[in-house]
Amino acid sequence: MSRPGRRGRARGGVLGAVLALTAGALTASAATAPPAAALTPPVGFTADDLATYQTNGIVWSLAEANGVVYAGGTFTDVRPAGSPAGSGTTPAVNFAAFDAATGAPAGCSLSFTRSSGTATVRALAVSPDKSTLYVGGYFNRVNGTGANGLVAVNTADCTLRPGFAPNFGATVRALDVAENGTVYAGGDFQSLDSQTRRFFGAVTAAGAVTAWNPDADDPGRTLKVTPDGRNVLIGGDFFTVGGANSHALAVTSAASGALTRAYTGNFIPSSAVIKDITTDPASNGWYAGGEGAGGTSFDGRLAMGLDTFDQRWRDTCQGATQALRVYRGVLYAGSHVHDCSTMGGFPNQVRKHLTAQSVDDPAMLGWLPDTNDGIGEPVGPRALTVSSRGGRDFLWVGGEFTTVNGMAQQALTRFATAPDTGAPSVPVVSLSAPRAGEVRVSWRASLDLDDSLLTYRVYRDGGSTPVRTTTGSSLFFSRPQLTFTDTDVVAGRSYSYRVTASDGTNTSALSANASVTAASSSSPYARRVLADGADLYWRYDETGGSFAADASDNDDGGVYVNAPAYRSTPSAVAGSAALALNGTDEYVHSDRLHHYTSPTPYSIETWFRTGTNRGGRIVGFGNNIGSTQGHTSGISDKVLYLTDNGRLAFGVQVGSTSSRPTITSAASYNDNVWHHAVATQGPSGMRLYVDGVSAGSNTTAGNRSYNGYWRVGGDAMTASWPNRPTSTYFAGQVDETAIYPSALTAAQVAAHHDLADTPQGPGDTTVTLTPTEDAYVNGVAANTTYNDSQLASRGTTAYLSYLRYALPAAPAGLELKSARLAFRTSSDPAAGSADSHTLVPVTGAWTESSVTYNSRPSLSPTVLGTISGATDASTDYAVELDAPALGGALGSAYSLALTSGGTDSLRIWSGEVATAAHRPQLVLTFGAE
């Protein structure tokens, strides 16, 4: 039975096995991991794009010979890297050649045109001896000389080979050259030199039509001669080859075009086509990329054997694969992959355009430079080739894109085998003191676009020698939590920690300084939650950032989305903070993909506090992590939500049916009081507890089996949910969210509820203060008073800020152990600062209503703390202060000033800002004397 003014709290269980990482990622454990080394094998190219000339249109095809890369497409000029469109251009009509090592034009200038219509070069291929470049497309003149769809170019001097003049009836889209000189072509044509050749045909090195005639019924998009020269692999739109069924993919005799191997049934769905094929003798394999329509189509990659032509593996990610190339055991792909959920990978999210996977395994590797979709259809990259020059190998990429790695660059880019110059992202660190004699340092794995295995070093109290070195693996869609437990600590003493990430060559900056006071005892509530088996436990004690640390030993960290209000007070559990959510777009999701198989038991526990009459989803499981339409969960169950009238509901989806058994409380809980909620499901059915007692049950033991993510604060909910709330996002506070792999008993639930107000004993009483007065002054407007929603600091031209706090006296038997100032940079785009800013005591008199630069108070030379690394706008930061210096002022009004000697201003929200959680907070921690 809940007591008046009592908060309610809950606990949860994880349904079944938890996947440490999604497909292709390695475990975060460092026990047996090798040291990081750029690049993480087997990746062979860095993700650092090199300066490369650009085109003003689409590059459809690439080929290379003798250190020269040839580009064909639909464009009229080229320009240097960094030049905006129309600036510094050189004419290049649908064709250009570049030095593979410098990215600059190589001096081969050919103009491909038509007397009518839009000319384009769609296919390039080089003879095995590298002496001849074959160029195919839709054109009838080259440098003024008549040609019809295909020409041969001498690579030595960039001249057309006389006498080679096959006549194609329509666009040539694909080319390859056999060892014997036969040139194979695919495209839109249905005749070749007046002979019927439907969509595929071949000519000799002299240009004579051969007998090769696959006779497809729809266009060819790609083809490749097998390394032994006996067969030609073809791909495209077709459904039949030589009258026999074989959709989009077929193996044909290199001599006649007769079918060697057909692919029937739904091997390639009817809604998909094959856009590229590449071979790799080293793996005895060939690889095909598909483009389809809809989730049941085929957009990914196929790995096939050159011996049997059977499938080895299939990548079912969605995202229209356009180009493939193998380099040293890695299959590189150009696509716009956006959904790998069918592979056990990331759900539908923002498109990625360049990826890599081993030829032996479809799992994604840690190589992820990126382009945008660009112009045209748009789909991003369209062509890949590898070239060598000057002792390095280069991966060239062509396509429709207009940016590379976030910077303007059109249609062409390239990557090299060395050097790797990109450092990993800076780790985001969270500290806690969960038990006596322990400090727990947790951080979210960093991201490096070409190194998935990174080395982390933990530094304590500003030291230069790490107290912990470990390794961990991560991918963009799976950045697991890593944790170091420091047991060399003394209760009551404050410790600070910073972490770096290294790929073996490049090292990130140190993480923001984070401090914590070692506790003399643990929280009784947290101790019981962990003892009862929570394997996801978010306490929401972070001061800012995107990382929500898991307090369990499972390292199941979360991600804060859209910067909710951190360290909200009052909290539900003694000694911990809470999280405030706006009910619109703020939420937390697990950083790890989980798999649950019905009817595995589980429990969900959380505390919540709200006054909303729009309801909201508090905790639930779903198959996506985004917030925009198309990126929220299409599958969702195990949901704890509030109805518009404040009743608490717990529901599941039974299999893939429309059945959603739901328990709804009789009472309402939107009374702005903390409440404890626990939802369990096991062999005996579902049960909902509120404030320690049962609020309802049923006998439903099953739910839906799928891969997904835990989310707190919001996600999609279909109309099938009973009493679906007006808002699917929760407006209010949450605290102490836990998931368990078991159904908690009634006794366990009651015990958790009753422990919430139990303090963890002497040593960590925390007081959070907001300013009684604050203002800033401006050296340019020396007689103006600035008492608004922002504070500012800069050396030149000077800004200074002043804050006054009413410091309490120390509680009986306790003394001040640590102090920190927590603040949020403002939304001004230039709010962040690369400079350091110091906090010093104010010794002169001032008031916020009258202080100006000319009347500014005198300052003490004592430095209380230094802010560094506060570089982002609308971001929470904290700085540790000199506790002994503040200790002498307890029980009085105390002023401090924010100053700088630099030129880069820092802007933070003041005590006047409307959102209380954004105001600068002085956090004092008292412990035993």
Side-chain angles (χ1 to χ4, degrees):
M1 180 176 192
S2 63
R3 298 168 290 195
R6 180 77 165 115
R7 294 74 57 83
R9 334 191 177 193
R11 189 157 110 106
V14 175
L15 322 170
V18 179
L19 301 182
L21 288 177
T22 50
L26 304 175
T27 176
S29 171
T32 59
L39 311 161
T40 300
V43 169
F45 295 103
T46 79
D48 309 316
D49 56 294
L50 303 174
T52 308
Y53 262 63
Q54 314 170 65
T55 72
N56 66 341
I58 300 170
V59 171
W60 294 104
S61 185
L62 294 170
E64 69 81 31
N66 309 314
V68 175
V69 172
Y70 302 94
T74 310
F75 51 84
T76 60
D77 63 51
V78 298
R79 64 186 189 277
S83 294
S87 174
T89 62
T90 301
V93 183
N94 301 319
F95 176 87
F98 304 93
D99 184 300
T102 67
C108 179
S109 179
L110 298 171
S111 177
F112 290 79
T113 59
R114 284 192 63 83
S115 52
S116 63
T118 302
T120 183
V121 170
R122 287 300 184 106
L124 299 170
V126 174
S127 62
D129 65 2
K130 305 291 188 180
S131 67
T132 307
L133 169 70
Y134 293 93
V135 183
Y138 184 62
F139 50 83
N140 58 22
R141 301 191 74 80
V142 181
N143 282 7
T145 300
N148 203 358
L150 181 65
V151 295
V153 179
N154 296 312
T155 57
D157 58 8
C158 192
T159 59
L160 296 181
R161 187 199 302 164
F164 185 86
N167 186 345
F168 285 85
T171 306
V172 174
R173 295 181 179 272
L175 291 171
D176 198 22
V177 189
E179 286 287 344
N180 64 6
T182 301
V183 182
Y184 295 89
D188 300 343
F189 55 87
Q190 297 195 49
S191 66
L192 173 55
D193 282 354
S194 301
Q195 298 186 46
T196 299
R197 290 291 187 271
R198 295 199 305 164
F199 308 112
F200 291 96
V203 296
T204 66
V209 179
T210 74
W212 188 70
N213 184 14
D215 191 32
D217 64 336
D218 268 321
R221 303 271 190 157
T222 182
L223 54 81
K224 197 71 177 176
V225 181
T226 57
D228 62 10
R230 298 173 60 185
N231 292 284
V232 180
L233 314 168
I234 64 172
D237 301 8
F238 51 84
F239 287 84
T240 64
V241 175
N245 292 330
S246 190
H247 173 52
L249 193 66
V251 183
T252 68
S253 163
S256 66
L259 271 171
T260 301
R261 173 68 179 270
Y263 296 95
T264 58
N266 203 44
F267 188 82
I268 303 296
S270 61
S271 58
V273 300
I274 296 298
K275 299 299 291 288
D276 198 18
I277 294 172
T278 191
T279 58
D280 178 41
S283 62
N284 196 31
W286 57 287
Y287 306 87
E291 176 183 297
T296 60
S297 192
F298 175 61
D299 262 1
R301 271 77 69 190
L302 290 174
M304 312 286 285
L306 281 168
D307 45 3
T308 64
F309 303 116
D310 290 337
Q311 177 180 301
R312 293 176 174 173
W313 53 255
R314 179 181 293 237
D315 176 331
T316 57
C317 294
Q318 295 180 37
T321 303
Q322 304 294 311
L324 301 171
R325 193 65 77 233
V326 175
Y327 176 79
R328 295 187 178 180
V330 175
L331 177 65
Y332 295 88
S335 69
H336 55 254
V337 60
H338 58 89
D339 186 351
C340 286
S341 56
T342 57
M343 295 273 291
F346 59 93
N348 190 29
Q349 288 292 297
V350 176
R351 293 177 169 188
K352 305 294 182 180
H353 298 85
L354 291 167
T355 58
Q357 52 208 148
S358 167
V359 294
D360 299 320
D361 189 339
M364 188 175 290
L365 298 174
W367 184 78
L368 209 80
D370 202 13
T371 72
N372 64 354
D373 286 346
I375 60 177
E377 283 191 49
V379 297
R382 289 284 192 173
L384 302 173
T385 198
V386 174
S387 185
S388 301
R389 189 152 194 157
R392 287 195 295 168
D393 294 339
F394 301 87
L395 176 67
W396 279 69
V397 182
E400 297 177 306
F401 52 86
T402 57
T403 67
V404 177
N405 288 340
M407 302 298 290
Q409 174 70 22
Q410 185 170 359
L412 284 170
T413 191
R414 62 199 174 98
F415 305 91
T417 48
D420 179 14
T421 60
S425 63
V426 179
V428 180
V429 176
S430 178
L431 301 182
S432 63
R435 303 176 185 88
E438 290 184 4
V439 167
R440 184 179 172 91
V441 185
S442 298
W443 64 96
R444 189 185 187 201
S446 296
L447 180 64
D448 190 305
L449 296 182
D450 47 31
D451 298 284
S452 55
L453 179 65
L454 300 174
T455 296
Y456 298 90
R457 294 177 176 87
V458 182
Y459 300 88
R460 189 175 75 177
D461 293 338
S464 58
T465 301
V467 293
R468 173 69 168 172
T469 300
T470 187
T471 58
S473 291
S474 60
L475 297 171
F476 82 92
F477 57 90
S478 185
R479 296 171 60 183
Q481 174 176 313
L482 293 98
T483 297
F484 160 58
T485 300
D486 189 354
T487 57
D488 184 21
V489 297
V490 177
R493 178 180 165 184
S494 179
Y495 296 89
S496 64
Y497 298 85
R498 305 181 82 176
V499 182
T500 63
S502 174
D503 62 14
T505 299
N506 309 287
T507 300
S508 74
L510 285 161
S511 65
N513 192 62
S515 300
V516 70
T517 298
S520 57
S521 61
S522 60
S523 161
Y525 180 89
R527 189 165 62 243
R528 184 60 184 268
V529 167
L530 295 171
D532 285 341
D535 55 9
L536 182 158
Y537 183 19
W538 297 338
R539 305 202 70 194
Y540 309 120
D541 287 340
E542 287 75 26
T543 59
S546 62
F547 172 53
D550 176 20
S552 83
D553 291 334
N554 201 33
D555 281 341
D556 202 352
V559 178
Y560 293 115
V561 178
N562 294 322
Y566 308 94
R567 299 197 65 82
S568 176
T569 56
S571 63
V573 171
S576 180
L579 184 73
L581 301 163
N582 64 6
T584 303
D585 61 359
E586 295 174 351
Y587 61 100
V588 191
H589 69 79
S590 58
D591 212 6
R592 179 186 298 175
L593 185 70
H594 301 73
H595 178 74
Y596 291 109
T597 302
S598 175
T600 304
Y602 63 95
S603 299
I604 304 168
E605 179 177 43
T606 199
W607 289 81
F608 70 95
R609 177 175 180 260
T610 185
T612 183
N613 60 3
R614 291 170 52 80
R617 177 172 163 147
I618 304 173
V619 183
F621 192 67
N623 69 340
N624 211 329
I625 58 176
S627 56
T628 58
Q629 186 174 3
H631 295 167
T632 51
S633 294
I635 302 173
S636 184
D637 81 334
K638 310 170 190 66
V639 180
L640 189 65
Y641 63 99
L642 206 66
T643 65
D644 285 353
N645 61 4
R647 296 184 178 187
L648 191 64
F650 166 46
V652 300
Q653 182 180 7
V654 178
S656 57
T657 71
S658 59
S659 175
R660 285 173 172 77
T662 301
I663 303 167
T664 304
S665 68
S668 295
Y669 301 101
N670 55 343
D671 53 4
N672 281 314
V673 172
W674 279 109
H675 294 285
H676 179 232
V678 177
T680 72
Q681 190 177 24
S684 61
M686 300 168 60
R687 187 171 294 274
L688 175 64
Y689 300 87
V690 184
D691 294 337
V693 298
S694 177
S697 63
N698 64 33
T699 59
T700 303
N703 48 68
R704 185 160 186 177
S705 304
Y706 62 101
N707 295 331
Y709 304 84
W710 287 105
R711 292 177 55 134
V712 176
D715 197 2
M717 294 181 68
T718 68
S720 300
W721 290 100
N723 299 307
R724 179 182 180 271
T726 300
S727 172
T728 59
Y729 285 80
F730 176 72
Q733 293 169 283
V734 292
D735 200 4
E736 307 292 324
T737 302
I739 306 295
Y740 301 78
S742 63
L744 294 177
T745 67
Q748 288 174 312
V749 172
H752 292 193
H753 177 259
D754 292 340
L755 283 170
D757 283 334
T758 304
Q760 65 185 60
D764 63 347
T765 296
T766 300
V767 178
T768 301
L769 309 171
T770 54
T772 57
E773 292 188 273
D774 56 20
Y776 79 95
V777 298
N778 182 351
V780 173
N783 292 310
T784 302
T785 297
Y786 293 89
N787 179 24
D788 53 29
S789 62
Q790 293 190 60
L791 300 175
S793 170
R794 185 173 65 196
T796 307
T797 302
Y799 295 146
L800 295 91
S801 292
Y802 308 99
L803 303 98
R804 180 174 286 118
Y805 291 91
L807 301 185
L814 304 180
E815 65 180 2
L816 184 65
K817 292 294 187 180
S818 68
R820 72 173 183 274
L821 182 71
F823 61 92
R824 175 177 285 213
T825 49
S826 76
S827 58
D828 187 317
S833 175
D835 290 338
S836 294
H837 299 259
T838 56
L839 290 153
V840 301
V842 178
T843 56
W846 67 281
T847 64
E848 68 177 10
S849 61
S850 63
V851 66
T852 66
Y853 185 81
N854 280 342
S855 68
R856 66 190 185 276
S858 56
L859 307 178
S860 166
T862 301
V863 175
L864 298 172
T866 300
I867 298 169
S868 60
T871 55
D872 296 326
S874 298
T875 301
D876 290 285
Y877 295 97
V879 56
E880 192 75 12
L881 302 181
D882 185 341
L886 290 176
L890 292 176
S892 67
Y894 188 83
S895 295
L896 55 146
L898 179 60
T899 70
S900 175
T903 59
D904 191 13
S905 64
L906 174 70
R907 292 184 177 273
I908 69 174
W909 293 122
S910 75
E912 278 71 41
V913 70
T915 303
H918 296 176
R919 298 167 188 165
Q921 297 178 336
L922 184 61
V923 183
L924 306 178
T925 300
F926 296 91
E929 296 179 348

